Amino acid sequence: MKQLKNTEDISRKDALKKIRNYGKYTALTAIGTYLILKPQKAQAGSPPDAGTGF
Amino acid sequence: MKEKTEFLYKTIEDKTITWSESSNQYLILENTTALIFKKLNTGVSIKEIASELAKELSLPIDKTTDFVTNLEQEINALKTEKDASTINKDTTINKPEKFEFIKYYKINELIFKVEFHSEYELYLVHPKFQHLEIEDTNIHAHTFTIFCEADFIYFYIENNFIGAWNKNEIHYFQGKFSMELIQKIHKKEEKEWMGVFHASAVSNGKKSVLFLGDSGNGKSTSLALLQANGFTCLADDFVPIDIYNKEVYSFPASISIKKKSLETLLPLYPELENSAEYNFKRLNKVVRYLKPNNSDFLSHLPCKDLIFIKYEKNSDLKFDEIAKIEAFKQLVPDSWLSPIKENSQIFLDWFASLNCYQITYSENKKMIATVAKIFNDEL
């Protein structure tokens, strides 16, 4: 039973370590997330739309 | 080391907007990433950047090296991406001998003669400018010519070829027509504009505000409501902004009113009852045109406020200031922005100085009162 408890403790430590590492990679993922915005290639009139319009 | 001139950077709130000259695209980067981006562009090695980043984030160097390498690849992709021109430069085509419709439009003191080959070409342009039509005259400053050949629409000014567009890109022909028109009215070349925005511009005679939002959200309807309540319509659908004074310039087209807005607007504009209804099947739109109340199409006014407007049935009035980055994300894909580097810098600086709001409403009076407060700097 004790041993089992120990095993559990070790597992928890490992788990925390993993979470910490994962957290660091998340930081990398976060700074690597970006958005590209493309303006219209030329001046345009109203483009076609679904026309639900108010 | 001197920075290469390919990119522009503008930090707004917690992000950095990065503009690429070769692709005329805007990237929204985290500030840290923008710094790495800058370093890569000034020739700092991947190894050096990856090592610094690994220390900063306490990460293994192989992970940060992968990250920086990927970023460099993205930069190279941006540098090689060029804007594809949609205009088919076939200038050898013979112009038709006969034009079924010839119209004259008077904008302030300037008279435009427009030759339309058939009814098809007429309906692409005329409904929005009908209110400017005058009787046949021999005196005109400019001649615009429009005709179709095969699946293309051709546009000439003073017998000079301007462009040809496939019929499924008619909105770019209409955009070019509008652009040429404002350039003649305001005597400016394309390089003298910061951009053209898909918005509605309303003014109080001293300044203007822009209404933005997806098609169908109520930009034009809100403009029509304000026009009936003491404000002036400066431009609908096509809002040009000058590069020198960063002011909104008047565009003389009518306000397009969708069928669903008629009930709201008829009490204010009884003339809409009997005005012609146009069914643009390709656009999935049924619209009528309302004359703008602006009498001086040379006018131009500063703009400090962008309003994302939305009519929502039964909604109470909601008014919020919104994050500029969010506004930027919505603004750019719908706009034509000058691809010239100096102009792009001016656009970024101008945008950073704006106030961005969102209004959701169902009661017209409350919307009008809120917009009036924005005009009076009471919010």
Side-chain angles (χ1 to χ4, degrees):
Chain A
M1 187 73 184
K2 203 176 178 183
Q3 203 178 347
L4 190 63
K5 201 181 172 186
N6 280 344
T7 313
E8 271 182 8
D9 281 345
I10 291 161
S11 296
R12 197 172 296 128
K13 255 186 214 166
D14 277 350
L16 283 173
K17 200 176 160 192
K18 273 182 189 164
I19 288 164
R20 250 197 323 271
N21 280 341
Y22 184 70
K24 281 173 189 169
Y25 294 157
T26 306
L28 210 51
T29 312
I31 64 165
T33 306
Y34 62 93
L35 191 68
I36 297 181
L37 300 170
K38 298 181 184 186
Q40 292 281 325
K41 59 190 172 185
Q43 302 87 15
S46 261
D49 67 46
T52 49
F54 163 65
Chain B
M1 191 185 287
K2 195 176 178 292
E3 191 177 329
K4 287 178 195 168
T5 55
E6 163 76 22
F7 297 98
L8 294 173
Y9 305 92
K10 184 81 189 174
T11 301
I12 296 179
E13 294 158 354
D14 61 340
K15 301 280 194 285
T16 299
I17 299 170
T18 305
W19 177 77
S20 152
E21 187 175 13
S22 29
S23 63
N24 188 24
Q25 290 177 3
Y26 292 81
L27 271 77
I28 299 182
L29 300 172
E30 296 298 324
N31 293 339
T32 313
T33 317
L35 284 174
I36 299 170
F37 202 96
K38 264 187 191 175
K39 282 182 187 168
L40 283 168
N41 280 301
T42 48
V44 181
S45 73
I46 292 178
K47 201 177 160 189
E48 194 179 324
I49 300 169
S51 162
E52 275 177 29
L53 191 64
K55 271 187 209 157
E56 198 181 313
L57 299 177
S58 310
L59 282 174
I61 188 135
D62 60 319
K63 297 287 173 202
T64 55
T65 306
D66 280 355
F67 176 80
V68 181
T69 309
N70 282 338
L71 197 62
E72 195 189 40
Q73 283 168 358
E74 299 286 352
I75 292 170
N76 289 335
L78 274 174
K79 281 180 180 170
T80 50
E81 190 167 336
K82 292 276 177 196
D83 250 357
S85 171
T86 54
I87 296 175
N88 164 27
K89 290 195 167 93
D90 183 2
T91 55
T92 56
I93 195 126
N94 289 326
K95 282 205 300 183
E97 284 177 11
K98 194 174 173 297
F99 288 86
E100 206 177 325
F101 299 93
I102 293 176
K103 300 281 183 189
Y104 295 87
Y105 304 100
K106 190 176 180 192
I107 302 170
N108 281 33
E109 292 312 307
L110 212 54
I111 296 168
F112 293 80
K113 177 186 181 183
V114 186
E115 302 172 318
F116 301 98
H117 184 223
S118 73
E119 203 172 31
Y120 173 80
E121 292 88 344
L122 182 76
Y123 279 97
L124 295 177
V125 171
H126 183 66
K128 268 187 106 67
F129 299 99
Q130 198 166 11
H131 61 289
L132 301 164
E133 189 180 356
I134 56 162
E135 292 292 305
D136 191 345
T137 171
N138 285 325
I139 309 154
H140 54 268
H142 302 288
T143 304
F144 287 18
T145 305
I146 303 157
F147 62 92
C148 281
E149 175 68 41
D151 269 339
F152 279 81
I153 183 144
Y154 288 81
F155 180 27
Y156 286 73
I157 296 179
E158 269 75 87
N159 284 323
N160 295 315
F161 177 78
I162 301 298
W165 294 261
N166 191 291
K167 278 185 177 174
N168 60 26
E169 291 204 314
I170 287 296
H171 56 293
Y172 287 118
F173 154 70
Q174 289 165 321
K176 191 69 177 173
F177 183 95
S178 299
M179 194 69 188
E180 291 292 337
L181 201 65
I182 58 152
Q183 288 178 186
K184 302 277 186 265
I185 300 167
H186 299 293
K187 301 195 171 21
K188 284 179 183 296
E189 293 176 44
E190 187 172 287
K191 65 181 180 192
E192 296 174 273
W193 300 102
M194 180 167 85
V196 174
F197 299 88
H198 182 218
S200 298
V202 61
S203 97
N204 66 350
K206 289 179 189 144
K207 58 182 179 176
S208 67
V209 304
L210 296 193
F211 289 143
L212 296 145
D214 290 341
S215 192
N217 272 8
K219 296 187 289 290
S220 299
T221 311
S222 306
L223 173 66
L225 287 167
L226 287 154
Q227 172 173 289
N229 283 276
F231 294 91
T232 306
C233 162
L234 206 51
D236 182 45
D237 195 40
F238 190 90
V239 179
I241 299 190
D242 173 270
I243 198 66
Y244 305 118
N245 56 20
K246 289 146 298 200
E247 292 188 350
V248 174
Y249 276 59
S250 168
F251 177 61
S254 292
I255 306 170
S256 53
I257 303 298
K258 288 180 185 155
K259 206 169 185 172
K260 283 189 177 176
S261 305
L262 278 179
E263 197 185 328
T264 305
L265 296 175
L266 272 173
L268 300 166
Y269 300 103
E271 67 269 31
L272 279 172
E273 178 82 59
N274 296 315
S275 66
E277 190 167 78
Y278 297 91
N279 186 356
F280 296 109
K281 283 184 183 152
R282 201 186 65 85
L283 301 179
N284 192 16
K285 264 184 205 172
V286 179
V287 300
R288 295 181 190 203
Y289 287 99
L290 180 67
K291 193 179 156 182
N293 66 348
N294 187 6
S295 55
D296 178 12
F297 296 119
L298 289 174
S299 57
H300 48 91
L301 291 165
C303 170
K304 282 277 158 211
D305 305 288
L306 297 188
I307 304 172
F308 288 84
I309 201 139
K310 191 175 168 72
Y311 172 87
E312 207 171 84
K313 207 175 175 183
N314 302 326
S315 167
D316 200 3
L317 183 102
K318 285 180 227 154
F319 171 79
D320 298 293
E321 189 156 3
I322 57 166
K324 282 185 188 173
I325 287 293
E326 290 310 309
F328 193 83
K329 284 180 196 170
Q330 293 187 58
L331 179 72
V332 171
D334 244 5
S335 311
W336 171 78
L337 296 166
S338 173
I340 300 166
K341 193 179 175 196
E342 293 73 19
N343 295 8
S344 195
Q345 182 68 63
I346 292 168
F347 163 66
L348 287 170
D349 293 341
W350 172 77
F351 182 81
S353 74
L354 297 175
N355 306 308
C356 301
Y357 305 106
Q358 187 164 29
I359 295 179
T360 305
Y361 76 100
S362 63
E363 287 176 67
N364 301 336
K365 277 185 186 167
K366 286 186 181 175
M367 181 276 289
I368 294 163
T370 308
V371 174
K373 281 182 183 171
I374 293 172
F375 269 111
N376 298 328
D377 293 322
E378 287 169 9
L379 288 165

